[in-house]
Amino acid sequence: MKLKLISICAYLLVFFSSCDTKKDFEEETKKYFIKYYGEDGDQEAVDMVVNGDTVMILVNTTTPGNSQRILLIKTDLDGNVLRQNKLGNGKDSQGRAISEIAQDIEPTADGNYLVLSNMYRGIDAATNEDLYDFKVIKINANGDSIGGMEFGNNDGKWTTQYIHSITPLSDGGFVVTGNSTDETIAVDPGLPPPDQEDMFSIGFKNDFKTIAWTTLELGTPIGTTGEHFGSGIKVFEASSNRYIIFSYSDRQLLGATDFESNFEVMTFSGNGIPLGFADNSGKETSDEILASVAKVPSILGGGYYEFGTSIPLNASSNVGQLYFCKRYDDLSKKNEGTVSSVSGQFTAVSVTPCVVSEGYLLIANEKTTAGTTIRLIKTNLDSEEVWSVNMGSFDKTSKGACAVELPDGRILVLGTIELETQDKVGLMKVNAQGEFL
Amino acid sequence: MVKSLSCCFLIFSLTLLGYIPASAQDECELTLSRAVEEFNAGHHYGIPSMLGPCLEKNQNKEWRQRAYLLLAETYLLLEDPFGAEKSYLEVLRANPEFLTDEKRDPIDLVYLSSKFTSTSIFTLSARVGPNVSFVRTLVDRGTYSDDVKKSNILKPGFQVGVGVDWNYDDHLSVMLEGNFVFSAYRQRVTGMFGRDELSVFDRQTWVRLPIAVKYSASKGQYRPYGYIGFSWDLLLGDRATIQYKDQNYNPETERVESIDRESPILKFKSKRNAFNHSIFIGGGVKYKVKLDYIFADLRYSFGMTNLVNDKNSIYDYKNQTDGTSEGFQDSGDGAFRWAHIDDLFRMDNLFISVGYIHPLYKPRKLKKAHSRSVLRSIKKQGDEIKVD
């Protein structure tokens, strides 16, 4: 009896002495994470580039008592910081104090990066409008500055300009596009309401000198009126002498009787001469505001994917439904519409094609009762929602920046997370279903 | 032989009677005294009928012990083993810890006693006391990307429990308990974003079912014991409060300014594994109080399982199926509002308990009498008589 009792106890002891160890979990827990980056004050996530096993994150940082600066954070795919450094010194080339607002980072063909920022110079006393110049900094893979340029007022012709994106060119130059509240840049539509913005694109040689600029408010030359508001969003280099610019504006379409915003696509030559418009996309009952455009890899059928917000006309806020337009390589439309099955009030942020899971990753900010959360949506190639998840606290204002599908199918999401007392840059790694698993 | 035994017993009985305050009014006490006189006079046949009425009156235990002891000896002399055994069993019922003494008691009574035991088969206990928890990190995790300093701070908890011991013999027993445990710990992280501080105060409620093999001393006023065992640990609840110090250097005032916030209670149960197990060792000392004991106990429990559900540690995927609902987002507030993600960890506990033990005595006849030593004693006595 005693022996039997001891045997049972020994067996149970062996069973219960089996314990969980670090080895059981370490690899699994590396597969997903949420990491915050920052320093004193508030930081805002802007953009990221995943290049092999490193991630270059572009951040706006505002520390107490200092103006806004550009912060560059280099991490590995596990979110560990490899390097962190600030770009710029808070002054422009003329020694004037500025706030630097990071806007875009893009890899170049020579293994470096171009960092675009808008430099806030203050308020125009005459018009009460914000005044911006822009700066491009070329950095190497370590994040060190290796060149750059500043653009101010187009030789005194413009009072301000705000750049939305930068596109490195195959010859080492680049193109930027954006808009300006200086309505003198282009002709007005001549019809109410008053003109508010003018749109433009500027090309630069590889020595960072201007080669051409073009306005998108062409109006009469192409048989339409001009626009009251709008902006160039992204330029793609179709060939060395043909560029495609994606934008939105309230240009009055042929046959239409009112002004409402739509997605626009235009091509122009290497020296900035407009070549013509493709079909616009959008609804007549709402303003479609383009937020992001992605070149679709040929493995997914090629072409371009436009993503933006569809806001009902006369709405008091800038939120609405998510709107897309898929175009072929020749810019003709494959399909367009609201992203199906996604309900809520959103502001579109970015789109990224997914090669592994075949579809698109959409990032939008969803309006909540007290703020916004980041909505990550996975769609199939027909823009039908496959799944969607939110990130961020319901009562806070978190904003998405972009998402990238990694070669293993996992997803990196970059956003600004409003914690209890501060804004920080959040890098989230989730599985192919958007889960922290 | 019979005479010598009777003589011994008479001396024993008188000794016992001497401890009892005489009460002339106590009829049964007088009856017992008369019975002893009759016994000493060799008039054994009338003793059972003399004591019968008083025994039926359910006298106090001490009186019953003496009466049944007299009856057992009487039946032994009357060569009625059945009656003797029955009477001795009643002696043990009156006093489960009664033991014969070879020097004091007749040898035939000692021999008879060797066929009986009143050792408790089951022992009940209740305990209460404080505990502290030791976090043993398996995988270091966090939302921070800086070099931070982490420390775990002991926080007191408490436990209450009941238990039952199955006594294999006087020393060895198997112990089964049911404990309600409230445990807690605090983790502090400093250096987030350069100088921020985060502190998590985590409280758990458990039901724990430990089972152990215990070895105890069986004699003495103070009886030490030790045990080793394992435990099924069911986590009933987990609540956390997070304190955050957002500290920023202000160059205008040239000092660090702090914004301090504390979270509401965050329910972390869904972020934990409910079913866990542990092994433990412990020991203590029992202090005898009449037939029961009070005890003090020290136990160290080694948590064997990772407490954190790594599949549910950021959002509650188990209970929130809609990844865009408000409830789903609230389940992620620990990470998305308070910048906290748990390490994966096991948890050890040190328990200090005091309690009460109540043995359930069961007087019974042994299947196999422990009579070998008694027989040796009888043989030795016989040899001494021959020599005389």
Side-chain angles (χ1 to χ4, degrees):
Chain A
M1 175 66 183
K2 192 180 276 187
L3 193 64
K4 200 172 177 181
L5 183 70
I6 291 168
S7 302
I8 292 169
C9 291
Y11 172 78
L12 289 171
L13 272 176
V14 169
F15 175 76
F16 273 85
S17 62
S18 62
C19 67
D20 292 336
T21 62
K22 181 178 183 176
K23 203 169 59 178
D24 299 332
F25 302 98
E26 195 169 30
E27 287 307 311
E28 281 297 308
T29 51
K30 278 183 184 172
K31 291 180 178 173
Y32 62 88
F33 60 76
I34 169 169
K35 294 280 185 192
Y36 295 130
Y37 306 94
E39 51 185 3
D40 282 358
D42 292 318
Q43 285 73 48
E44 176 195 16
V46 177
D47 196 9
M48 72 173 163
V49 176
V50 178
N51 199 344
D53 55 0
T54 61
V55 182
M56 202 68 93
I57 300 171
L58 187 62
V59 174
N60 279 318
T61 180
T62 309
T63 54
N66 293 305
S67 59
Q68 188 167 305
R69 299 276 298 277
I70 302 169
L71 183 65
L72 198 66
I73 302 168
K74 186 179 177 183
T75 75
D76 60 21
L77 292 179
D78 292 331
N80 301 309
V81 175
L82 303 175
R83 191 160 185 233
Q84 182 170 312
N85 60 308
K86 283 181 181 160
L87 297 175
N89 57 8
K91 290 181 179 174
D92 66 9
S93 56
Q94 298 175 47
R96 295 176 296 185
I98 52 162
S99 288
E100 298 195 63
I101 304 163
Q103 185 68 29
D104 195 10
I105 181 169
E106 295 293 336
T108 59
D110 58 2
N112 297 309
Y113 300 87
L114 293 180
V115 175
L116 168 72
S117 64
N118 288 289
M119 300 185 294
Y120 176 68
R121 289 190 284 109
I123 294 175
D124 185 333
T127 62
N128 205 32
E129 288 173 341
D130 292 333
L131 299 175
Y132 294 95
D133 289 337
F134 73 83
K135 179 194 277 187
V136 175
I137 304 170
K138 189 169 187 178
I139 59 169
N140 62 19
N142 287 326
D144 298 317
S145 173
I146 55 173
M149 55 80 69
E150 285 182 15
F151 183 91
N153 314 117
N154 194 22
D155 292 334
K157 295 173 193 163
W158 301 354
T159 57
T160 183
Q161 62 282 307
Y162 196 93
I163 309 299
H164 194 91
S165 70
I166 186 168
T167 304
L169 301 177
S170 55
D171 65 359
F174 61 89
V175 179
V176 297
T177 187
N179 66 0
S180 172
T181 52
D182 178 357
E183 299 90 359
T184 63
I185 291 176
V187 294
D188 292 342
L191 295 167
D195 195 16
Q196 299 163 36
E197 296 168 336
D198 287 340
M199 305 150 60
F200 62 87
S201 175
I202 312 172
F204 293 82
K205 292 180 183 175
N206 57 10
D207 61 357
F208 288 17
K209 304 287 184 192
T210 310
I211 53 167
W213 62 274
T214 186
T215 64
L216 308 182
E217 197 160 350
L218 301 173
T220 310
I222 58 164
T224 76
T225 64
E227 43 76 20
H228 300 94
F229 69 87
S231 178
I233 297 298
K234 184 69 182 174
V235 176
F236 289 93
E237 183 182 22
S239 67
S240 60
N241 198 34
R242 182 171 174 267
Y243 304 129
I244 305 165
I245 181 164
F246 290 84
S247 62
Y248 69 89
S249 87
D250 71 336
R251 188 189 315 275
Q252 197 176 48
L253 300 177
L254 286 174
T257 56
D258 55 356
F259 293 92
E260 46 86 17
S261 182
N262 295 284
F263 298 169
E264 290 179 341
V265 186
M266 189 192 76
T267 56
F268 59 96
S269 69
N271 54 7
I273 298 171
L275 300 175
F277 280 93
D279 279 350
N280 288 5
S281 58
K283 297 187 288 187
E284 286 191 19
T285 54
S286 55
D287 285 326
E288 279 67 48
I289 308 296
L290 184 64
S292 175
V293 186
K295 175 112 178 64
V296 181
S298 56
I299 196 171
L300 298 180
Y304 300 88
Y305 192 97
E306 297 164 272
F307 177 55
T309 312
S310 179
I311 305 167
L313 294 176
N314 304 318
S316 57
S317 64
N318 62 347
V319 294
Q321 292 180 295
L322 299 175
Y323 201 84
F324 77 96
C325 177
K326 171 71 177 60
R327 293 178 188 272
Y328 294 108
D329 281 329
D330 65 2
L331 303 181
S332 62
K333 290 188 285 188
K334 181 188 176 191
N335 52 3
E336 68 173 301
T338 53
V339 179
S340 62
S341 307
V342 179
S343 59
Q345 292 293 301
F346 301 97
T347 304
V349 177
S350 71
V351 57
T352 312
C354 304
V355 173
V356 179
S357 58
E358 294 192 347
Y360 303 99
L361 284 174
L362 309 179
I363 291 279
N365 298 325
E366 180 171 11
K367 188 176 183 297
T368 62
T369 323
T372 58
T373 56
I374 302 167
R375 174 72 77 96
L376 172 64
I377 303 161
K378 170 69 176 45
T379 70
N380 59 21
L381 291 173
D382 294 323
S383 296
E384 295 163 336
E385 180 199 40
V386 179
W387 52 258
S388 76
V389 293
N390 276 14
M391 295 179 185
S393 180
F394 191 79
D395 299 328
K396 295 289 181 179
T397 302
S398 297
K399 292 179 178 175
C402 57
V404 174
E405 186 188 53
L406 298 173
D408 64 358
R410 290 189 167 265
I411 298 164
L412 276 180
V413 181
L414 181 72
T416 305
I417 305 296
E418 186 188 4
L419 301 173
E420 178 63 15
T421 59
Q422 57 191 328
D423 291 345
K424 290 291 172 238
V425 173
L427 182 66
M428 286 72 74
K429 190 177 185 180
V430 292
N431 68 8
Q433 285 72 47
E435 300 162 321
F436 288 95
L437 292 175
Chain B
M1 175 72 180
V2 172
K3 262 187 181 175
S4 107
L5 289 175
S6 303
C7 187
C8 289
F9 187 67
L10 175 63
I11 294 162
F12 161 67
S13 303
L14 289 174
T15 308
L16 275 181
L17 285 170
Y19 289 122
I20 310 302
S23 170
Q25 287 77 28
D26 190 333
E27 185 187 333
C28 287
E29 196 60 47
L30 288 173
T31 304
L32 181 55
S33 297
R34 280 201 301 275
V36 170
E37 287 169 11
E38 287 294 307
F39 181 89
N40 291 338
H43 304 148
H44 303 130
Y45 285 102
I47 291 173
S49 57
M50 273 178 75
L51 294 173
C54 278
L55 288 170
E56 286 171 11
K57 286 180 189 169
N58 204 11
Q59 293 293 313
N60 66 59
K61 287 184 176 179
E62 186 275 332
W63 186 91
R64 291 171 71 82
Q65 176 188 329
R66 284 184 289 131
Y68 277 115
L69 206 53
L70 179 62
L71 273 177
E73 184 58 12
T74 301
Y75 283 126
L76 284 173
L77 293 173
L78 293 175
E79 296 183 346
D80 178 358
F82 181 72
E85 286 178 359
K86 195 177 168 192
S87 297
Y88 190 78
L89 205 55
E90 291 299 329
V91 171
L92 292 178
R93 282 185 184 133
N95 179 8
E97 296 194 329
F98 176 78
L99 293 173
T100 55
D101 184 341
E102 288 179 25
K103 291 176 183 166
R104 183 193 64 197
D105 298 325
I107 198 67
D108 54 347
L109 188 67
V110 175
Y111 179 74
L112 177 68
S113 73
S114 69
K115 297 178 182 175
F116 292 87
T117 185
S118 60
T119 308
S120 58
I121 296 175
F122 294 103
T123 302
L124 303 180
S125 63
R127 61 175 57 224
V128 64
N131 67 65
V132 288
S133 303
F134 303 92
V135 170
R136 290 194 293 146
T137 303
L138 294 172
V139 179
D140 183 30
R141 302 195 309 170
T143 61
Y144 45 81
S145 52
D146 313 80
D147 290 330
V148 299
K149 194 178 282 183
K150 263 186 183 178
S151 56
N152 293 312
I153 300 154
L154 297 182
K155 300 295 288 182
F158 73 89
Q159 71 279 344
V160 294
V162 293
V164 57
D165 288 10
W166 173 69
N167 300 303
Y168 177 69
D169 59 24
D170 286 346
H171 297 289
L172 205 59
S173 58
V174 174
M175 179 179 82
L176 177 66
E177 291 178 359
N179 293 329
F180 175 82
V181 178
F182 175 88
S183 61
Y185 72 91
R186 183 183 287 279
Q187 184 180 66
R188 182 173 290 156
V189 184
T190 56
M192 293 176 69
F193 310 120
R195 58 184 112 234
D196 288 3
E197 285 184 24
L198 181 146
S199 174
V200 182
F201 180 33
D202 196 13
R203 290 90 78 193
Q204 301 87 32
T205 47
W206 303 84
V207 165
R208 295 190 169 199
L209 298 174
I211 185 165
V213 178
K214 183 197 276 185
Y215 187 86
S216 312
S218 61
K219 287 175 183 161
Q221 192 72 17
Y222 291 94
R223 301 184 182 181
Y225 61 86
Y227 53 80
I228 183 167
F230 50 83
S231 173
W232 288 278
D233 305 332
L234 174 65
L235 184 67
L236 296 180
D238 192 300
R239 298 177 308 150
T241 311
I242 299 174
Q243 293 174 330
Y244 197 95
K245 282 187 174 187
D246 177 9
Q247 303 190 114
N248 300 292
Y249 177 73
N250 187 335
E252 290 169 0
T253 58
E254 294 185 339
R255 62 190 181 91
V256 174
E257 295 169 350
S258 182
I259 306 168
D260 298 355
R261 295 284 169 82
E262 181 172 306
S263 76
I265 290 173
L266 304 171
K267 292 176 181 172
F268 276 10
K269 171 71 167 39
S270 63
K271 301 180 191 299
R272 301 281 183 262
N273 290 316
F275 298 98
N276 298 279
H277 68 262
S278 54
I279 60 172
F280 59 91
I281 57 169
V285 61
K286 297 187 285 188
Y287 177 76
K288 189 159 175 53
V289 180
K290 296 182 180 172
L291 294 177
D292 296 338
Y293 304 87
I294 56 173
F295 69 93
D297 185 281
L298 185 69
R299 177 182 302 178
Y300 193 88
S301 168
F302 300 87
M304 304 302 280
T305 47
N306 166 34
L307 258 55
V308 177
N309 184 345
D310 59 317
K311 308 285 185 220
N312 222 47
S313 60
I314 296 176
Y315 277 122
D316 184 2
Y317 295 114
K318 271 195 303 194
N319 302 311
Q320 302 286 341
T321 51
D322 180 0
T324 61
S325 68
E326 184 178 349
F328 177 81
Q329 286 169 253
D330 287 345
S331 73
D333 267 4
F336 282 101
R337 185 165 185 157
W338 298 97
H340 170 71
I341 294 175
D342 287 305
D343 292 335
L344 302 190
F345 66 91
R346 302 191 301 233
M347 196 162 79
D348 294 355
N349 301 96
L350 179 68
F351 300 99
I352 299 171
S353 300
V354 293
Y356 194 81
I357 294 173
H358 175 67
L360 296 175
Y361 290 107
K362 188 183 180 187
R364 60 199 182 276
K365 191 177 178 184
L366 293 166
K367 288 175 183 171
K368 189 179 176 185
H370 300 150
S371 55
R372 194 171 296 170
S373 63
V374 181
L375 290 172
R376 272 202 303 271
S377 182
I378 292 171
K379 187 172 181 296
K380 191 178 172 186
Q381 280 185 19
D383 293 344
E384 283 170 0
I385 291 166
K386 279 178 189 173
V387 171
D388 292 342

